[in-house]
Amino acid sequence: MKFSILLLSLLFIFSNCNGTDDPKPQGNEQAVPVYNEAYQENYEADKIDDILQQARGAYVLVDPFEGDVASFVDDIKAEGNEVGGYISIGTGEDWRADFDQLQPYLVSTPWGQWPGEYFVNETTTGILDVMKARIDSLAAWGCDWVEFDNMDWAFDDNLRATYGFQATAQEAIDYFNALCDYVHQKGMKCMAKNTVEGASGFDGVLYESYNNDKNWWDEAGAKSFLSAGKLVIVNHYNEKNCDKVYQDYIDIYGPGISYICEDRNLKRYVHYNE
């Protein structure tokens, strides 16, 4: 009996030394909580008061060009959060203070899906300076990231046929990379939006995911960012079972994926990795 116990003990030690035991689950510092004050699809974005009370160690996206949001950047950062500043680089929005400066570089017909927005027509003249001025403001307000919305507009030939913009896909890539280089010069990081095509120099990417259209993007591209230790976020909309969708994405990408979900029952965002 003693021999049997000794033999079993030795076998247990041997198996552990050779890694045959299942590893204990480990935390993943790559995944962070995500808060989004800048936009939503169906219900409501995160409120500044809630962000100040709840967000800790999170990526917090805000639209500091609206209202007094810029005045809260330092307070948000004081809780260990990193703040992303939202800008649309593929459209001009007629409610922005710099719309008159952007208008010469835009198409004349508004985007049917989003009233008041006009696609960028061309990228090779003065629009770069207008966008750099926005980036200057984000740096002055203390943002850590710049999130580039609508950066993939010129990849869509159907949109080009409908709205007639002249910018080619390669010109769009050159444009957003020039802007990302400028962001880096200002000491901030670049967050791509919905694509990483031509964006290897970006520091992270956020994908918009839908209840009826999940994981629609280039999966290999997202995985390449994760493998490089970059922040990869899924912003999922209008979901009745946010936990299940989160697990589905973990099954695809592993625990390093960051996730925020617009809950259909609560009618607001719910947050993970907290």
Side-chain angles (χ1 to χ4, degrees), residues 58-80:
Y59 173 78
V60 179
L61 178 65
V62 300
D63 185 349
F65 295 97
E66 288 292 308
D68 61 350
V69 173
S71 66
F72 294 100
V73 170
D74 286 342
D75 292 334
I76 295 170
K77 291 175 63 171
E79 299 298 340

Side-chain angles (χ1 to χ4, degrees), residues 3-274:
F3 176 80
S4 298
I5 293 172
L6 177 61
L7 180 60
L8 288 171
S9 298
L10 289 172
L11 287 171
F12 177 77
I13 293 170
F14 180 80
S15 66
N16 276 324
C17 289
N18 283 276
T20 57
D21 238 19
D22 290 335
K24 292 181 180 179
Q26 299 294 318
N28 193 305
E29 295 180 358
Q30 193 171 341
V32 300
V34 179
Y35 285 76
N36 190 342
E37 181 275 337
Y39 54 82
Q40 45 71 42
E41 188 78 9
N42 300 285
Y43 305 115
E44 63 178 16
D46 287 317
K47 296 181 172 63
I48 290 292
D49 287 346
D50 292 334
I51 290 169
L52 291 172
Q53 292 175 19
Q54 299 169 17
R56 300 294 183 270
Y59 173 78
V60 179
L61 178 65
V62 300
D63 185 349
F65 295 97
E66 288 292 308
D68 61 350
V69 173
S71 66
F72 294 100
V73 170
D74 286 342
D75 292 334
I76 295 170
K77 291 175 63 171
E79 299 298 340
N81 303 301
E82 293 192 356
V83 175
Y86 170 92
I87 59 173
S88 175
I89 67 163
T91 66
E93 303 139 315
D94 65 7
W95 60 90
R96 300 292 185 184
D98 61 0
F99 181 72
D100 288 345
Q101 296 171 264
L102 280 176
Q103 200 165 13
Y105 315 111
L106 307 176
V107 299
S108 58
T109 303
W111 188 4
Q113 185 176 345
W114 297 103
E117 290 197 55
Y118 299 77
F119 285 110
V120 169
N121 182 38
E122 53 86 15
T123 63
T124 57
T125 56
I127 193 171
L128 207 65
D129 290 334
V130 181
M131 291 296 171
K132 285 181 176 180
R134 291 183 175 185
I135 292 167
D136 289 341
S137 295
L138 296 175
W141 291 326
C143 292
D144 304 287
W145 294 76
V146 179
E147 185 168 309
F148 288 36
D149 197 10
N150 297 309
M151 61 185 280
D152 57 348
W153 92 101
F155 296 170
D156 192 320
D157 289 336
N158 290 328
L159 289 179
R160 180 179 288 103
T162 301
Y163 295 98
F165 49 77
Q166 299 175 25
T168 66
Q170 186 58 54
E171 286 172 343
I173 290 171
D174 294 342
Y175 166 64
F176 63 61
N177 278 313
L179 290 174
C180 184
D181 288 344
Y182 191 71
V183 167
H184 287 154
Q185 291 172 26
K186 291 292 180 176
M188 299 180 291
K189 292 177 279 191
C190 303
M191 181 66 72
K193 182 82 173 287
N194 289 329
T195 184
V196 297
E197 181 179 347
S200 60
F202 279 62
D203 307 284
V205 58
L206 182 147
Y207 296 104
E208 291 179 291
S209 168
Y210 303 88
N211 175 263
N212 61 350
D213 197 8
K214 305 178 187 72
N215 204 45
W216 56 265
W217 49 84
D218 172 23
E219 186 176 311
K223 287 180 176 178
S224 72
F225 265 44
L226 282 169
S227 296
K230 297 181 179 183
L231 186 58
V232 178
I233 298 168
V234 172
N235 195 126
H236 184 67
Y237 294 124
N238 200 27
E239 181 56 53
K240 64 181 181 181
N241 193 341
C242 286
D243 289 354
K244 181 184 183 303
V245 174
Y246 182 39
Q247 186 58 56
D248 290 342
Y249 277 120
I250 289 176
D251 291 343
I252 297 169
Y253 294 105
I257 196 80
S258 299
Y259 178 74
I260 179 174
C261 183
E262 191 184 60
D263 189 291
R264 188 185 302 173
N265 302 308
L266 299 174
K267 301 190 185 309
R268 61 173 175 80
Y269 279 128
V270 292
H271 309 96
Y272 290 74
N273 310 116
E274 294 184 304

